[in-house]
Amino acid sequence: MTIQHRYDPHRKYEPRQPGTGGAKTSAMIASLAAEGYDSVSAPFGHALVDTARNDPRIVGLTADLAKYTDLHVFAEAFPDRFYQMGMAEQVMVSAAAGMAREGFVPFATTYAVFASRRAYDFIAMAIAEEYLPVKIVCALPGLTTGYGPSHQATEDLAIFRGLPNLTIVDPCDAIDVAEAVPAIIDHPGPVYMRLLRGKVPSVLRQHCPHYKFELGKAKLLRDGGDALVISSGFMTMRALDAAVQMEREGISVAVLHCPTIKPLDTDTILAEAGRGTRLVVTAENHTVIGGLGEAVAGTLLTHGVTPPFRMIGLPDRFLDAGALPTLHDRYGISTDAMIRQIRGWL
Amino acid sequence: MQHERSAAVLSNTSLARRAWDIRRKAVRMGKVQGQGYVGQALGVADVLAVSYFHALNHRPADPEWEGRDRFLLSIGHYAIALYAALIEAGILPEAELETYGADDSRLPMSGMAAYTPGMEITGGSLGQGLGIAVGMALGLRAKGNPAFVYNLMSDGELGEGSTWEAAMAAAHHRLGNLICIVDFNDQQADGKSTETLSAEPLPDKWAAFGWHVQRVDGNDLDALVAAFNTARNLEGDRPRAIVCDTVMCKGVPFLESREITHFVRVEADEWQKALSVLDETRPE
């Protein structure tokens, strides 16, 4: 008998039609566009160099992505403390674990997809289970590249949130990135930090001059009576921009920035969400499954705090390739899309 | 930092007797639990005897001594064998052998760093030890510490891609302070490793990856001593591999001749029988 198997590529997706032109896919190394904000170049790399000058324990490892994670700044400043591990994420994180065992504080960098999908078991067993001070810092978190699912880490937080001992940081801007570096070094355990690299907007102090990043703390950046947005990563920038625009329409939106995803600052979240009967909206650059939204929802329900609740995040699907502004709007994480959604829920 | 020889290394007790003691202690632990990876322990006992009583610099009373040679057990299920060696070396008290695999014991069935003095890493998720060893070797070199890192792995772990990532990294970074010992007993969970996913020709692979490689009879103490000496004293900065061909259940003929599998089944009454067999062959 002759067996003929033919895979049907359209079981799930309709055939795509030829394109007609439009916005161009941004380069992989592109910075996140943010109109109306100053930007800082390579805040991670420079903060790491500043801290490493006085802390000889710090070493840097990368899996062929130094230039794309701003670790090249460290490599140039401290060539003897920089380890190029090649395109080999498993040995990079294992070696980072080994160096931590010898008393170093290793920063290991790659893209978020590769750390979360490819190196997970090594991060789990060699680093997290051992509570070693390895800091895994990853570029292209969530939807920050138009290259498609191979590079879009839309579920990295869901993957890592289940891992005991691991602290997870999702910074918003250049200030968060820079101030998180010494904070996660001071933390004695392992950390996964989502990285914004290249030219990174400086957002938070423009809205809130006294803002400071504190590991494990959520910060109320602005108050408002109609809705409370609890957000992390660059979605806090979107939430602030949306709040400013909606204020002109007479809608008052509070923004609680929650850059530490785990452990979650449940005290602050419960206090803010329990204040009045505001609509509570979570906003994250991540699938709505297993990220900040579900973490907040679980916290609220467990403590009997039940305001009207909605989640803004990426849909449970593999996302399209294309230009980031197009994709952010398509998947509901642009400022305009955020405003449309919140307005509809009020 | 000075190299020093431990009291155990300097003692007059023969390596044959050390290996015999390691085998006997492993069987005693197997008897406590009524199970355990005793086949592997019997097979690797000679490698461990040469490691702990000839090659390694260590201080039994201070298992975290900074100058120690690091010995990583990548194969977590070989813990029963390493516990036997750690007890024989005086790092663990012998009485603790009775707690093997029991609730709240420091000697769990799979080796974990947080549980046991002298257990450098948490193995068990196979293919991780060599990568961690690369990092420790890099770290030691950066600190100017002349200690060696030994990684003990199994032939089954050669199937993991991470092993070869680590092998490339060790050669690229010129880690002459790294010694990888492969216990080649030709068994893994589903059968003979050469029939499951063959790593042969294995020495050629290590050599092609830039390593110095030796292949020896892993149950021949003299051959092991010579191989470890060569690995330690080799000039240059190539990492060193020692492939040790071992026989599962070595030293207990009625188990050796059994149809060997990854997890050797030992009947309840056979643990004592195995101890009796060993007692008849006690070396001086």
Side-chain angles (χ1 to χ4, degrees):
Chain A
M1 191 179 76
T2 306
I3 298 172
Q4 291 189 326
H5 290 299
R6 184 177 170 280
Y7 170 70
D8 174 6
H10 304 302
R11 284 181 308 171
K12 171 124 179 101
Y13 301 110
E14 290 298 309
R16 289 183 182 270
Q17 300 305 313
T20 55
K24 299 280 190 277
T25 300
S26 48
M28 192 94 65
I29 57 170
S31 308
L32 189 68
E35 285 181 23
Y37 295 107
D38 294 336
S39 65
V40 176
S41 184
F44 165 65
H46 291 293
L48 191 62
V49 167
D50 288 347
T51 314
R53 283 192 211 291
N54 299 313
D55 190 343
R57 300 171 307 158
I58 295 172
V59 291
L61 299 88
T62 192
D64 192 31
L65 286 171
K67 280 184 282 187
Y68 300 87
T69 57
D70 290 346
L71 193 66
H72 65 294
V73 179
F74 177 87
E76 285 158 16
F78 301 104
D80 295 342
R81 292 158 67 178
F82 169 73
Y83 298 89
Q84 174 58 264
M85 301 307 290
M87 201 188 290
E89 293 79 12
Q90 298 175 114
V91 73
M92 176 184 65
V93 300
S94 304
M99 295 203 80
R101 287 204 168 281
E102 293 299 334
F104 294 88
V105 177
F107 276 71
T109 74
T110 179
Y111 285 156
V113 278
F114 305 135
S116 59
R117 295 175 185 163
R118 191 174 290 245
Y120 179 81
D121 181 40
F122 299 79
I123 293 169
M125 292 312 302
I127 295 171
E129 195 267 346
E130 302 291 291
Y131 200 68
L132 292 173
V134 177
K135 319 302 174 183
I136 301 153
V137 178
C138 293
L140 302 189
L143 179 53
T144 48
T145 169
Y147 274 49
S150 65
H151 287 66
Q152 292 163 344
T154 52
E155 81 289 18
D156 59 332
L157 300 179
I159 290 170
F160 282 129
R161 268 186 66 226
L163 193 50
N165 289 348
L166 189 67
T167 291
I168 302 173
V169 180
D170 187 16
C172 168
D173 73 346
I175 293 154
D176 258 357
V177 169
E179 293 186 354
V181 168
I184 65 177
I185 291 167
D186 285 345
H187 176 67
V191 175
Y192 172 70
M193 183 164 98
R194 290 177 127 197
L195 178 65
L196 302 170
R197 49 97 30 211
K199 289 204 180 308
V200 180
S202 193
V203 175
L204 298 171
R205 287 211 184 113
Q206 187 165 321
H207 291 268
C208 193
H210 301 294
Y211 175 81
K212 251 193 84 57
F213 173 88
E214 281 184 82
L215 192 62
K217 294 286 185 217
K219 297 284 177 81
L220 190 70
L221 302 179
R222 59 179 287 149
D223 211 348
D226 297 317
L228 167 69
V229 177
I230 302 175
S231 55
S232 68
F234 73 72
M235 288 305 287
T236 295
M237 175 178 74
R238 299 273 193 261
L240 289 165
D241 290 347
V244 168
Q245 289 191 41
M246 293 173 83
E247 193 171 33
R248 296 185 201 126
E249 309 171 15
I251 300 172
S252 170
V253 176
V255 177
L256 180 65
H257 177 43
C258 190
T260 307
I261 305 292
K262 188 182 178 186
L264 201 60
D265 183 358
T266 51
D267 289 348
T268 304
I269 289 169
L270 288 167
E272 288 301 327
R275 207 149 57 79
T277 55
R278 295 179 292 186
L279 168 71
V280 171
V281 178
T282 58
E284 61 193 310
N285 168 32
H286 184 267
T287 166
V288 288
I289 292 182
L292 176 69
E294 287 193 350
V296 170
T299 299
L300 297 183
L301 264 181
T302 305
H303 291 82
V305 176
T306 55
F309 181 83
R310 295 287 188 277
M311 296 197 289
I312 291 174
L314 300 168
D316 175 28
R317 53 170 291 190
F318 288 105
L319 307 183
D320 293 341
L324 272 186
T326 310
L327 298 178
H328 282 190
D329 209 47
R330 183 172 300 168
Y331 297 118
I333 62 169
S334 67
T335 306
D336 287 347
M338 195 171 193
I339 292 169
R340 285 195 299 270
Q341 292 172 88
I342 294 173
R343 214 189 267 140
W345 291 326
L346 281 171
Chain B
M1 194 170 299
Q2 73 177 75
H3 266 230
E4 63 177 61
R5 315 302 296 173
S6 73
V9 170
L10 296 171
S11 79
N12 289 323
T13 308
S14 71
L15 288 173
R17 176 58 184 267
R18 295 293 191 185
W20 179 87
D21 270 314
I22 290 170
R23 287 191 168 90
R24 201 173 187 289
K25 288 180 170 68
V27 173
R28 283 172 64 196
M29 277 183 273
K31 189 182 175 200
V32 166
Q33 267 296 325
Q35 60 165 325
Y37 285 92
V38 73
Q40 284 84 345
L42 291 166
V44 82
D46 300 303
V47 171
L48 290 174
V50 173
S51 297
Y52 277 84
F53 301 99
H54 173 73
L56 289 181
N57 293 319
H58 64 108
R59 292 176 177 170
D62 184 9
E64 294 174 18
W65 171 49
E66 173 66 6
R68 74 193 184 282
D69 288 334
R70 279 66 167 158
F71 189 92
L72 278 53
L73 187 71
S74 186
I75 17 177
H77 60 287
Y78 276 50
I80 189 171
L82 190 62
Y83 299 151
L86 294 173
I87 291 168
E88 181 64 18
I91 296 167
L92 293 172
E94 184 165 353
E96 220 163 312
L97 175 158
E98 301 292 337
T99 72
Y100 170 69
D103 289 350
D104 303 321
S105 171
R106 295 201 298 178
L107 311 184
M109 301 278 280
S110 188
M112 288 179 275
Y115 282 65
T116 318
M119 187 69 74
E120 295 274 2
I121 65 166
T122 293
S125 178
L126 299 177
Q128 296 204 4
L130 191 57
I132 299 170
V134 164
M136 292 175 79
L138 285 170
L140 287 169
R141 187 170 68 190
K143 291 192 286 188
N145 184 327
F148 278 93
V149 180
Y150 292 81
N151 177 62
L152 176 60
M153 66 181 293
S154 66
D155 48 359
E157 291 185 272
L158 298 166
E160 296 285 358
S162 55
T163 293
W164 301 104
E165 284 187 18
M168 280 179 79
H172 178 84
H173 290 282
R174 303 179 182 284
L175 298 177
N177 55 348
L178 174 55
I179 298 174
C180 185
I181 309 158
V182 183
D183 179 28
F184 203 111
N185 57 25
D186 200 15
Q187 285 296 324
Q188 59 188 97
D190 270 350
K192 291 169 79 67
S193 56
T194 45
E195 293 172 3
T196 305
L197 181 62
S198 178
E200 298 289 7
L202 185 55
D204 292 354
K205 285 192 172 65
W206 288 106
F209 274 74
W211 287 56
H212 175 270
V213 59
Q214 304 172 78
R215 187 167 197 161
V216 298
D217 178 345
N219 295 120
D220 179 335
L221 289 164
D222 292 336
L224 286 168
V225 166
F228 275 74
N229 286 347
T230 299
R232 291 184 69 94
N233 298 324
L234 187 72
E235 292 292 322
D237 51 16
R238 273 184 298 168
R240 298 102 210 260
I242 307 174
V243 178
C244 302
D245 288 300
T246 62
V247 175
M248 290 270 283
C249 301
K250 181 74 178 178
V252 182
F254 79 88
L255 291 177
E256 272 182 58
S257 60
R258 182 161 294 178
E259 186 191 5
I260 293 296
T261 60
H262 172 68
F263 192 83
V264 178
R265 185 168 176 79
V266 181
E267 301 302 331
D269 61 323
E270 289 180 330
W271 293 103
Q272 187 54 50
K273 190 178 161 196
L275 289 173
S276 303
V277 169
L278 283 171
D279 287 345
E280 289 162 14
T281 57
R282 186 173 73 176
E284 290 309 309

